[in-house]
Amino acid sequence: QVQLVESGGGVVLPGRSLRLSCAASGFTFDTFGMHWVRQAPGKGLEWVAVTWYDGSNTYYADAVKGRFTISRDNSKNTLYLQIDSLRVEDTAVYYCARGGYSNGWRYFDYWGQGTLVTVSS
Amino acid sequence: SSELTQDPAVSVALGQTVRITCQGDSLRSWYATWYQQKPGQAPLLVIYGKNNRPSGIPDRFSGSTSGNTASLTITGAQAEDEADYYCNSRDSSGNHYVFGTGTKVTVL
């Protein structure tokens, strides 16, 4: 069965960096695009970034472009999100999600349970 | 604009029908996908494409689109359908994604 397990969250000071990981299993990792989605406490979902199945292309939400870097290691079935210059407003649960596809449609068909990042002094 | 707008909250009597709408220009180009999220849980895909349900999603959930508005309909709402629902779509570039503002569904 498909499993996505995030790790790396915690409490960090503003301006510091953090790397989140998402360990994938139960499917052929290197044939799927992968996404990060975040949710601030009590707020809605916000798409953050996507990496194509082979890492050849990455795209970011305007709110995080330049500070966040999505990457993947297909040999380790692992997705990453490097977050630099953390801001208080980056406080959120960060989910990784698989990029499902069929008939040209794209969607997030499996999600991890999320990892909480709290940015506070 | 890549914004997707949803009503903040709707309520439905047990066993009745509720429709949740999502408005945005990108919906003229891309089908919406719909996600259900219960408190403390990760989102769950309920509708994708024209009107497709993943395995395990009850057939009381259905989707449709007209112009710049996508709809998720729950026909015969059950207590377990009480949750937040989010629409999602690609933006005009096709490479970015945007979520709707979310709708809280209360089953009375």
Side-chain angles (χ1 to χ4, degrees):
Chain A
Q1 71 283 18
V2 173
Q3 275 199 312
L4 300 170
V5 179
E6 301 93 337
S7 61
V11 180
V12 292
L13 293 169
R16 304 298 286 268
S17 297
L18 200 63
R19 189 176 82 157
L20 307 181
S21 300
C22 170
S25 60
F27 65 101
T28 306
F29 184 68
D30 62 6
T31 63
F32 287 87
M34 295 294 296
H35 300 257
W36 287 99
V37 175
R38 69 181 179 180
Q39 186 169 37
K43 302 297 184 182
L45 300 173
E46 180 185 17
W47 176 79
V48 172
V50 60
T51 175
W52 285 18
Y53 67 100
D54 58 357
S56 61
N57 285 285
T58 57
Y59 299 95
Y60 300 89
D62 288 344
V64 307
K65 197 170 185 179
R67 293 191 303 119
F68 287 28
T69 304
I70 188 172
S71 63
R72 63 192 298 159
D73 185 338
N74 285 346
S75 69
K76 296 182 179 179
N77 288 354
T78 303
L79 175 73
Y80 302 101
L81 185 68
Q82 176 71 34
I83 310 175
D84 297 324
S85 303
L86 275 155
R87 303 169 179 170
V88 172
E89 54 265 35
D90 294 323
T91 295
V93 174
Y94 285 75
Y95 296 100
C96 65
R98 192 178 83 165
Y101 56 90
S102 64
N103 294 319
W105 305 316
R106 296 188 177 275
Y107 39 85
F108 314 122
D109 58 354
Y110 289 93
W111 297 66
Q113 282 305 300
T115 187
L116 175 62
V117 174
T118 303
V119 185
S120 174
S121 56
Chain B
S1 171
S2 300
E3 296 178 347
L4 295 176
T5 302
Q6 299 179 238
D7 291 330
V10 296
S11 60
V12 57
L14 185 67
Q16 296 304 301
T17 297
V18 62
R19 188 173 72 174
I20 306 160
T21 60
C22 171
Q23 284 191 301
D25 290 342
S26 63
L27 299 176
R28 297 186 185 277
S29 304
W30 307 103
Y31 284 113
T33 54
W34 290 93
Y35 301 87
Q36 175 193 73
Q37 188 181 34
K38 297 180 179 179
Q41 296 185 16
L44 175 71
L45 176 68
V46 294
I47 291 288
Y48 66 94
K50 193 171 184 180
N51 180 19
N52 297 274
R53 285 174 289 105
S55 174
I57 301 301
D59 61 6
R60 63 179 178 270
F61 290 90
S62 63
S64 63
T65 300
S66 177
N68 73 337
T69 301
S71 300
L72 173 70
T73 300
I74 309 174
T75 303
Q78 301 300 302
E80 60 264 32
D81 300 333
E82 187 162 288
D84 294 326
Y85 290 84
Y86 296 91
C87 59
N88 179 271
S89 171
R90 295 162 136 182
D91 74 352
S92 56
S93 74
N95 293 317
H96 299 77
Y97 295 75
V98 60
F99 281 97
T101 49
T103 298
K104 181 177 182 59
V105 172
T106 300
V107 179
L108 303 172

